[in-house]
Amino acid sequence: MAYTQEKHDSKLEALIQSAVKRIGGKKENDICRYLPVNTGGYIHHFTMRKMKTEAPDQLQSLISKYIINVDKPHTVPPKPRAARGSRKRRDQLLFSKQDIERLLSIARQAGDKELIRKLTPRKDLRTIKRELIASIRHGKVDQDLWQSYIEAITTQSNFATNGIPAMNV
């Protein structure tokens, strides 16, 4: 039994070496790109190495079918992979800073307080206090600034009641 297994292995090795020569490769991993796999793309070199011991007949038939018995062996296109950053949400709109400024000015013209609140960048409580005091010194009343101050104070008090440490004030 060991003799036939050894003969079978040497036959497979000879077939692999002739396939490497046929495609003009340097090592046996080079033939992987010529062997398709049913899930799409070409066979991985780890899979081929595993097939050498676990399914040598199947590997022999693949090599014969796609490399040896073909006039000109063709490489198999790689399996399509997900692009980098593919975890990004596709339905999310991307706006530049200028786009947001234009939307904000349109919302101000229309008097849409909710949209203005959503588009205005969040400021920390310290900045809001500083701007509010500056507007009082200049004798201006800014309702949006006062509203954002109330929201910041409410958020801070909610954090305090829930036991979450507050942000720097």
Side-chain angles (χ1 to χ4, degrees):
M1 175 105 185
Y3 177 72
T4 57
Q5 182 68 30
E6 211 173 273
K7 186 177 177 184
H8 200 64
D9 289 346
S10 64
K11 185 178 174 187
L12 179 62
E13 285 298 324
L15 188 66
I16 290 172
Q17 291 307 316
S18 65
V20 170
K21 284 180 187 173
R22 179 135 165 96
I23 63 166
K26 294 179 180 150
K27 52 190 185 286
E28 73 178 33
N29 287 350
D30 295 338
I31 67 172
C32 294
R33 290 194 179 94
Y34 294 83
L35 304 175
V37 69
N38 56 2
T39 57
Y42 52 82
I43 196 166
H44 193 271
H45 61 278
F46 288 157
T47 307
M48 189 185 81
R49 184 111 348 109
K50 191 175 181 182
M51 284 178 77
K52 279 175 67 175
T53 56
E54 294 181 8
D57 295 329
Q58 186 182 3
L59 182 59
Q60 279 182 346
S61 67
L62 281 173
I63 292 172
S64 298
K65 183 177 178 182
Y66 294 104
I67 299 175
I68 303 295
N69 297 334
V70 179
D71 291 337
K72 187 177 179 194
H74 295 288
T75 58
V76 178
K79 185 176 185 177
R81 304 266 185 229
R84 289 186 182 198
S86 62
R87 292 187 182 152
K88 293 178 184 172
R89 293 185 52 171
R90 297 276 184 230
D91 59 342
Q92 192 173 17
L93 299 173
L94 298 175
F95 290 111
S96 67
K97 190 171 182 178
Q98 291 83 14
D99 293 338
I100 292 175
E101 290 297 323
R102 285 177 52 203
L103 284 172
L104 195 55
S105 67
I106 292 169
R108 283 190 182 121
Q109 288 173 358
D112 191 348
K113 300 280 186 191
E114 185 66 23
L115 190 58
I116 292 170
R117 188 181 62 76
K118 287 181 181 178
L119 292 174
T120 306
R122 295 269 180 219
K123 299 176 185 173
D124 64 336
L125 187 56
R126 193 175 285 173
T127 306
I128 295 170
K129 282 181 183 178
R130 193 177 319 120
E131 288 179 9
L132 198 55
I133 291 169
S135 70
I136 292 169
R137 284 188 183 136
H138 293 286
K140 295 180 188 174
V141 176
D142 189 356
Q143 274 308 115
D144 295 333
L145 192 57
W146 179 252
Q147 203 58 36
S148 60
Y149 175 73
I150 292 171
E151 286 179 14
I153 292 293
T154 308
T155 304
Q156 185 180 14
S157 66
N158 286 341
F159 281 142
T161 57
N162 292 332
I164 302 170
M167 324 247 180
N168 292 340
V169 180

